[in-house]
Amino acid sequence: MKRLGNYEEILNKIKEEKYFLLYVSINNCNICQIDMPKVEKIVNEQNFTAYHIEASEIPEAVGQLSLFSVPVVILFYEGREIHRQAKIIDFDELNYRMEQIT
């Protein structure tokens, strides 16, 4: 997963990419660290474009994307958010939603 460093990069990806996954975590979050490799595995298996942001580094994204807890997985398709999971990620559901897109 490529790491994005500012909110403008996120907006550009939303405009430019047909579909992608955005993984949001925060420093010192054990669940974030445990879930990230699982999400990366699904992304790699499906050859799905994915990006990662650190919420504490991009406070504007926290407000604009309504990020109230972490970890968060958001699927974007054709410029719109189509699926979101926060805190407890259902990996089977995530895999299913990604398969629907591709």
Side-chain angles (χ1 to χ4, degrees), residues 40-63:
E40 285 181 318
K41 182 180 181 218
I42 294 170
V43 164
N44 290 336
E45 286 173 353
Q46 295 209 24
N47 197 26
F48 206 91
T49 303
Y51 301 99
H52 171 244
I53 65 167
E54 193 72 34
S56 59
E57 295 175 3
I58 311 175
E60 185 178 7
V62 172

Side-chain angles (χ1 to χ4, degrees), residues 1-75:
M1 269 189 271
K2 183 181 176 196
R3 191 165 175 158
L4 302 178
N6 60 56
Y7 187 63
E8 288 298 317
E9 284 183 285
I10 298 168
L11 291 177
N12 287 337
K13 298 301 177 190
I14 292 170
K15 290 176 189 171
E16 295 169 0
E17 302 277 351
K18 181 171 182 172
Y19 60 86
F20 71 94
L21 176 145
L22 181 65
Y23 184 79
V24 183
S25 65
I26 196 164
N27 289 329
N28 303 321
C29 169
N30 291 332
I31 295 175
C32 299
Q33 294 173 0
I34 291 168
D35 284 354
M36 189 166 175
K38 294 175 184 178
V39 171
E40 285 181 318
K41 182 180 181 218
I42 294 170
V43 164
N44 290 336
E45 286 173 353
Q46 295 209 24
N47 197 26
F48 206 91
T49 303
Y51 301 99
H52 171 244
I53 65 167
E54 193 72 34
S56 59
E57 295 175 3
I58 311 175
E60 185 178 7
V62 172
Q64 295 295 325
L65 298 174
S66 300
L67 304 171
F68 300 112
S69 64
V70 288
V72 178
V73 174
I74 305 172
L75 294 178

Side-chain angles (χ1 to χ4, degrees), residues 5 9 19-20 44 46 49 76-77 83 85 99-101:
E9 284 183 285
Y19 60 86
F20 71 94
N44 290 336
Q46 295 209 24
T49 303
F76 289 93
Y77 180 74
H83 181 72
Q85 293 186 38
E99 285 175 350
Q100 284 183 315
I101 292 172

